[in-house]
Amino acid sequence: MNKVIRWGMVGCGAVTEVKSGPAYQNTAQFELHGVTRRDLVLAKDYAARHGVPNVYSSASELIACPEIDAIYIATPPDSHMELALQVAAAGKPCCIEKPLAPTYHECEIIHDAFAQQGLPLYVAYYRRSLPRFNKVKALIESNVIGDIRHVNWHLNKAPNQLDLSGKYNWRTDKSIALGGYFDDLASHGLDLFSYLFGEFEQVKGLASNQQKLYGAFDAITACWQHKSGVTGSGSWNFGGFSRYDTVTLYGQRGEITFSVFDEQVIKVTTLNGVEEYTIANPAHIHQYHVQNIALDLLSQSGHPSTGTTAMHTSWVMEQIIMPT
């Protein structure tokens, strides 16, 4: 329990600046010991700005270093499997950015590699650890709106300047992310629904490229049923006019609405009226997720987002964008 766990971070791009990197530095008994990325000049700049003591010349050097106890992989998903297998072979716990891998098959390979070694594997679906979504979970479990009948999520966004420019963006490169922003963004909500309502049982979807701005899909719709019996529907469009991000839970005796990405109020509507809950996110959005990793590594308390849960989310996404 007194051990300091030294982390190495592979990749130090935008997601690590505020969202995730500082969370490892601010967690008791964790130390961000070293970083690396393909551009070593940028890796050294990151280390200097964030007070990270070591920069490694390659991912392989960082993973193999005996002074590194655990690895956080924060690179685009097409590199996850190769890096994860190196970490498993090195016998070290690992946290991987979401989605776990571009395909369900690659997720299985990563999951099995860590399972065979008996190593902890976490995936950065951090919403499972955030207080605002655990409040939603508590409301569901307290039966405030009765049995949940259906969940609906609509996410609408206009194309951004990078999309319109035609410049390269790995998030919309279909060889890396066939679903484009769906892979990057919708994965968060679908994973959250699995956390709130249990595993999905049946999933059907349609995907198309309406704008032709890039190779990946930009308009996706889906319907599904959880093993618990809750049904669901979703639509995600990345070429619309206004930003719209609303989840509605339809219950036996009321409704709950909230947002997956925006810090909107959680609204509960029943015959007794409307109650609202405002719960802010932490400054570093991964903070609770990383703290839960520490609890699990130091006391085997369990973690809500593992390789197993993330693999299921990847299966759901694949059913939507690659229906048989």
Side-chain angles (χ1 to χ4, degrees):
M1 289 295 293
N2 294 321
K3 177 179 175 59
V4 172
I5 297 174
R6 298 164 297 184
W7 284 82
M9 188 166 73
V10 181
C12 38
V15 72
T16 69
E17 289 286 349
V18 176
K19 289 183 176 182
S20 62
Y24 287 86
Q25 294 174 302
N26 296 339
T27 295
Q29 295 179 266
F30 275 9
E31 174 193 339
L32 185 54
H33 191 73
V35 297
T36 189
R37 65 181 296 175
R38 283 176 295 184
D39 188 327
L40 285 181
V41 172
L42 292 178
K44 290 175 182 177
D45 175 69
Y46 183 95
R49 289 185 292 105
H50 290 272
V52 180
N54 299 289
V55 175
Y56 292 82
S57 62
S58 67
S60 297
E61 181 189 20
L62 181 147
I63 292 167
C65 178
E67 294 182 354
I68 297 289
D69 303 309
I71 308 294
Y72 168 39
I73 297 174
T75 58
D78 62 325
S79 62
H80 287 181
M81 185 174 75
E82 178 185 356
L83 293 169
L85 294 181
Q86 289 185 49
V87 177
K92 297 179 180 182
C94 188
C95 179
I96 303 178
E97 266 303 324
K98 40 58 56 188
L100 178 54
T103 68
Y104 179 67
H105 178 62
E106 289 181 23
C107 292
E108 288 184 302
I109 293 172
I110 295 170
H111 172 273
D112 291 350
F114 282 84
Q116 288 165 10
Q117 295 272 42
L119 292 167
L121 174 61
Y122 311 99
V123 181
Y125 285 116
Y126 55 82
R127 279 167 176 76
R128 289 174 176 248
S129 294
L130 283 175
R132 61 183 287 106
F133 297 111
N134 277 299
K135 177 62 178 180
V136 173
K137 187 173 178 65
L139 289 167
I140 294 168
E141 292 174 350
S142 69
N143 212 34
V144 67
I145 63 168
D147 294 339
I148 307 298
R149 303 304 193 198
H150 185 80
V151 53
N152 174 262
W153 180 24
H154 178 53
L155 177 66
N156 190 85
K157 296 182 69 177
N160 59 41
Q161 289 303 311
L162 182 57
D163 300 333
L164 296 171
S165 73
K167 294 179 181 178
Y168 180 75
N169 179 3
W170 68 261
R171 287 179 173 82
T172 53
D173 181 343
K174 67 179 182 180
S175 67
I176 297 176
L178 181 60
Y181 293 116
F182 173 83
D183 289 1
D184 189 35
L185 300 176
S187 57
H188 273 296
L190 293 168
D191 183 80
L192 177 64
F193 297 157
S194 183
Y195 178 58
L196 295 176
F197 311 117
E199 288 191 343
F200 292 68
E201 186 170 45
Q202 299 181 66
V203 185
K204 299 182 183 297
L206 293 169
S208 64
N209 185 326
Q210 294 180 333
Q211 304 174 92
K212 305 295 190 292
L213 292 176
Y214 39 73
F217 296 131
D218 60 12
I220 300 97
T221 61
C223 61
W224 63 83
Q225 185 171 33
H226 295 265
K227 291 179 180 179
S228 62
V230 174
T231 59
S233 58
S235 58
W236 305 269
N237 195 292
F238 303 100
F241 171 67
S242 61
R243 180 178 177 85
Y244 191 90
D245 174 18
T246 300
V247 175
T248 303
L249 311 185
Y250 297 92
Q252 175 190 15
R253 295 192 298 271
E255 298 171 358
I256 300 173
T257 62
F258 60 92
S259 171
V260 173
F261 295 103
D262 300 334
E263 288 190 62
Q264 298 176 7
V265 297
I266 299 165
K267 182 185 292 186
V268 181
T269 305
T270 66
L271 290 174
N272 296 323
V274 176
E275 289 188 83
E276 295 185 344
Y277 303 89
T278 301
I279 303 172
N281 288 328
H284 308 294
I285 200 75
H286 284 224
Q287 192 66 57
Y288 292 100
H289 167 77
V290 175
Q291 288 174 356
N292 282 336
I293 292 177
L295 287 172
D296 186 50
L297 289 177
L298 296 167
S299 61
Q300 289 75 57
S301 61
H303 194 283
S305 183
T306 66
T308 301
T309 62
M311 183 169 65
H312 179 67
T313 298
S314 289
W315 174 81
V316 172
M317 293 166 60
E318 199 157 286
Q319 298 306 300
I320 293 172
I321 63 171
M322 293 183 11
T324 56

CSV table of all heavy atoms in Angstrom, one decimal, residues 6 12-13 27 44 49 64-65 80 134 156 167 178 181 193 211 220 222-223 228 231 269-270 274 315 317:
chain,number,residue,atom,x,y,z
A,6,ARG,N,5.2,3.9,-10.8
A,6,ARG,CA,5.8,4.8,-11.8
A,6,ARG,C,5.2,4.5,-13.2
A,6,ARG,O,5.4,3.4,-13.7
A,6,ARG,CB,7.3,4.6,-11.8
A,6,ARG,CG,7.9,5.0,-10.5
A,6,ARG,CD,9.3,4.5,-10.4
A,6,ARG,NE,9.4,3.0,-10.4
A,6,ARG,CZ,10.5,2.3,-10.3
A,6,ARG,NH1,11.7,3.0,-10.1
A,6,ARG,NH2,10.5,1.0,-10.3
A,12,CYS,N,1.9,11.8,-26.3
A,12,CYS,CA,1.5,12.9,-25.4
A,12,CYS,C,1.0,14.0,-26.3
A,12,CYS,O,1.5,15.1,-26.3
A,12,CYS,CB,2.7,13.4,-24.6
A,12,CYS,SG,4.4,13.3,-25.3
A,13,GLY,N,-0.1,13.7,-26.9
A,13,GLY,CA,-0.8,14.6,-27.7
A,13,GLY,C,-1.9,15.4,-26.9
A,13,GLY,O,-1.8,15.5,-25.7
A,27,THR,N,-2.5,11.9,-8.7
A,27,THR,CA,-3.1,10.8,-7.9
A,27,THR,C,-2.0,10.2,-6.9
A,27,THR,O,-0.9,10.0,-7.3
A,27,THR,CB,-3.5,9.6,-8.9
A,27,THR,OG1,-4.6,10.1,-9.7
A,27,THR,CG2,-3.9,8.4,-8.2
A,44,LYS,N,9.9,16.1,-25.6
A,44,LYS,CA,10.7,16.8,-24.6
A,44,LYS,C,10.0,18.1,-24.2
A,44,LYS,O,10.1,18.5,-23.0
A,44,LYS,CB,12.1,17.1,-25.3
A,44,LYS,CG,13.0,15.9,-25.4
A,44,LYS,CD,14.3,16.2,-26.2
A,44,LYS,CE,15.1,15.0,-26.4
A,44,LYS,NZ,16.4,15.2,-27.2
A,49,ARG,N,7.3,21.1,-19.9
A,49,ARG,CA,6.1,21.9,-19.4
A,49,ARG,C,5.4,21.2,-18.3
A,49,ARG,O,4.8,21.9,-17.4
A,49,ARG,CB,5.2,22.1,-20.6
A,49,ARG,CG,5.7,23.1,-21.6
A,49,ARG,CD,4.7,23.4,-22.7
A,49,ARG,NE,4.4,22.3,-23.6
A,49,ARG,CZ,3.3,21.6,-23.5
A,49,ARG,NH1,2.3,21.8,-22.6
A,49,ARG,NH2,3.1,20.5,-24.4
A,64,ALA,N,10.0,-1.3,-22.0
A,64,ALA,CA,11.0,-2.3,-21.4
A,64,ALA,C,11.7,-1.7,-20.2
A,64,ALA,O,12.3,-2.5,-19.4
A,64,ALA,CB,12.0,-2.6,-22.5
A,65,CYS,N,11.7,-0.4,-19.9
A,65,CYS,CA,12.5,0.2,-18.9
A,65,CYS,C,12.1,-0.4,-17.5
A,65,CYS,O,10.9,-0.4,-17.1
A,65,CYS,CB,12.3,1.7,-18.8
A,65,CYS,SG,13.2,2.5,-17.5
A,80,HIS,N,-2.7,0.7,-31.1
A,80,HIS,CA,-3.0,0.1,-29.8
A,80,HIS,C,-2.6,-1.3,-29.6
A,80,HIS,O,-2.0,-1.7,-28.6
A,80,HIS,CB,-4.5,0.3,-29.4
A,80,HIS,CG,-4.9,1.7,-29.1
A,80,HIS,ND1,-6.2,2.0,-28.7
A,80,HIS,CD2,-4.2,2.8,-29.1
A,80,HIS,CE1,-6.2,3.3,-28.5
A,80,HIS,NE2,-5.0,3.8,-28.7
A,134,ASN,N,-22.4,8.7,-12.3
A,134,ASN,CA,-22.8,7.8,-11.1
A,134,ASN,C,-24.0,8.3,-10.4
A,134,ASN,O,-24.7,7.5,-9.8
A,134,ASN,CB,-21.6,7.6,-10.2
A,134,ASN,CG,-20.6,6.5,-10.8
A,134,ASN,OD1,-21.0,5.4,-10.9
A,134,ASN,ND2,-19.4,6.9,-11.1
A,156,ASN,N,-25.6,15.6,-32.5
A,156,ASN,CA,-25.5,16.3,-33.8
A,156,ASN,C,-24.4,17.4,-33.7
A,156,ASN,O,-24.4,18.2,-32.7
A,156,ASN,CB,-26.9,17.0,-34.1
A,156,ASN,CG,-27.0,17.5,-35.5
A,156,ASN,OD1,-27.3,16.8,-36.4
A,156,ASN,ND2,-26.7,18.8,-35.7
A,167,LYS,N,-7.8,18.7,-45.0
A,167,LYS,CA,-6.5,18.2,-44.5
A,167,LYS,C,-6.6,16.9,-43.7
A,167,LYS,O,-7.7,16.6,-43.2
A,167,LYS,CB,-5.9,19.3,-43.6
A,167,LYS,CG,-5.5,20.6,-44.3
A,167,LYS,CD,-5.0,21.6,-43.4
A,167,LYS,CE,-4.6,22.9,-44.1
A,167,LYS,NZ,-4.1,24.0,-43.1
A,178,LEU,N,-13.2,3.6,-39.0
A,178,LEU,CA,-14.2,3.5,-40.1
A,178,LEU,C,-15.4,4.3,-39.7
A,178,LEU,O,-16.0,4.9,-40.6
A,178,LEU,CB,-14.6,2.0,-40.2
A,178,LEU,CG,-15.7,1.7,-41.3
A,178,LEU,CD1,-15.2,2.1,-42.7
A,178,LEU,CD2,-16.1,0.2,-41.3
A,181,TYR,N,-15.9,10.1,-36.4
A,181,TYR,CA,-16.2,10.7,-35.1
A,181,TYR,C,-17.1,9.8,-34.3
A,181,TYR,O,-17.1,9.9,-33.0
A,181,TYR,CB,-16.8,12.1,-35.2
A,181,TYR,CG,-15.9,13.1,-35.8
A,181,TYR,CD1,-16.1,13.7,-37.0
A,181,TYR,CD2,-14.7,13.5,-35.1
A,181,TYR,CE1,-15.3,14.7,-37.5
A,181,TYR,CE2,-13.8,14.4,-35.7
A,181,TYR,CZ,-14.1,15.0,-36.9
A,181,TYR,OH,-13.2,15.9,-37.4
A,193,PHE,N,-23.9,3.4,-21.6
A,193,PHE,CA,-25.2,2.7,-21.5
A,193,PHE,C,-25.0,1.3,-21.0
A,193,PHE,O,-25.9,0.7,-20.3
A,193,PHE,CB,-25.9,2.7,-22.9
A,193,PHE,CG,-26.2,4.1,-23.4
A,193,PHE,CD1,-26.4,4.4,-24.7
A,193,PHE,CD2,-26.4,5.2,-22.5
A,193,PHE,CE1,-26.7,5.6,-25.2
A,193,PHE,CE2,-26.7,6.4,-22.9
A,193,PHE,CZ,-26.9,6.7,-24.3
A,211,GLN,N,-21.7,13.7,-46.3
A,211,GLN,CA,-21.0,14.9,-46.8
A,211,GLN,C,-19.9,14.7,-47.8
A,211,GLN,O,-19.5,15.6,-48.6
A,211,GLN,CB,-20.3,15.6,-45.6
A,211,GLN,CG,-21.3,15.9,-44.4
A,211,GLN,CD,-20.5,16.5,-43.3
A,211,GLN,OE1,-20.4,17.7,-43.2
A,211,GLN,NE2,-20.0,15.6,-42.4
A,220,ILE,N,-24.8,8.1,-38.7
A,220,ILE,CA,-25.1,6.7,-38.2
A,220,ILE,C,-26.3,6.7,-37.4
A,220,ILE,O,-26.6,7.6,-36.6
A,220,ILE,CB,-23.9,6.2,-37.3
A,220,ILE,CG1,-22.6,6.2,-38.1
A,220,ILE,CG2,-24.1,4.8,-36.7
A,220,ILE,CD1,-21.7,7.4,-37.9
A,222,ALA,N,-28.9,3.7,-35.0
A,222,ALA,CA,-28.9,2.4,-34.5
A,222,ALA,C,-30.1,2.2,-33.6
A,222,ALA,O,-30.7,3.1,-33.0
A,222,ALA,CB,-27.6,2.2,-33.7
A,223,CYS,N,-30.4,0.9,-33.4
A,223,CYS,CA,-31.4,0.5,-32.3
A,223,CYS,C,-30.8,-0.8,-31.7
A,223,CYS,O,-30.0,-1.5,-32.3
A,223,CYS,CB,-32.8,0.3,-32.9
A,223,CYS,SG,-32.8,-1.0,-34.2
A,228,SER,N,-31.0,-6.8,-20.1
A,228,SER,CA,-31.9,-6.4,-19.0
A,228,SER,C,-33.3,-6.2,-19.6
A,228,SER,O,-34.3,-6.1,-18.8
A,228,SER,CB,-31.5,-5.2,-18.3
A,228,SER,OG,-31.4,-4.1,-19.2
A,231,THR,N,-34.7,-1.2,-24.1
A,231,THR,CA,-34.5,-1.0,-25.5
A,231,THR,C,-33.8,0.4,-25.7
A,231,THR,O,-33.8,1.2,-24.8
A,231,THR,CB,-35.7,-1.0,-26.4
A,231,THR,OG1,-36.6,0.0,-25.9
A,231,THR,CG2,-36.4,-2.4,-26.3
A,269,THR,N,-38.0,14.2,-14.3
A,269,THR,CA,-39.4,14.6,-14.4
A,269,THR,C,-40.3,13.4,-14.0
A,269,THR,O,-40.2,12.3,-14.6
A,269,THR,CB,-39.7,15.0,-15.9
A,269,THR,OG1,-38.8,16.0,-16.3
A,269,THR,CG2,-41.1,15.6,-15.9
A,270,THR,N,-41.1,13.7,-13.0
A,270,THR,CA,-42.1,12.7,-12.6
A,270,THR,C,-43.4,13.4,-12.3
A,270,THR,O,-43.5,14.6,-12.4
A,270,THR,CB,-41.6,12.0,-11.3
A,270,THR,OG1,-41.5,12.9,-10.2
A,270,THR,CG2,-40.2,11.3,-11.5
A,274,VAL,N,-40.3,18.5,-11.3
A,274,VAL,CA,-39.0,18.4,-11.9
A,274,VAL,C,-37.9,18.6,-10.9
A,274,VAL,O,-38.0,19.6,-10.1
A,274,VAL,CB,-38.9,19.4,-13.1
A,274,VAL,CG1,-37.5,19.4,-13.7
A,274,VAL,CG2,-39.9,19.1,-14.2
A,315,TRP,N,-17.6,-4.4,-29.6
A,315,TRP,CA,-18.5,-5.3,-30.3
A,315,TRP,C,-19.8,-4.6,-30.7
A,315,TRP,O,-20.3,-4.7,-31.9
A,315,TRP,CB,-18.9,-6.5,-29.4
A,315,TRP,CG,-19.9,-7.4,-30.0
A,315,TRP,CD1,-19.7,-8.4,-31.0
A,315,TRP,CD2,-21.3,-7.4,-29.8
A,315,TRP,NE1,-20.9,-9.0,-31.3
A,315,TRP,CE2,-21.9,-8.4,-30.6
A,315,TRP,CE3,-22.1,-6.6,-28.9
A,315,TRP,CZ2,-23.3,-8.6,-30.5
A,315,TRP,CZ3,-23.5,-6.8,-28.9
A,315,TRP,CH2,-24.1,-7.8,-29.7
A,317,MET,N,-20.2,-1.3,-31.2
A,317,MET,CA,-19.9,-0.4,-32.3
A,317,MET,C,-19.8,-1.1,-33.7
A,317,MET,O,-20.3,-0.6,-34.7
A,317,MET,CB,-18.7,0.4,-32.0
A,317,MET,CG,-18.9,1.3,-30.8
A,317,MET,SD,-17.3,2.0,-30.2
A,317,MET,CE,-16.7,2.8,-31.6
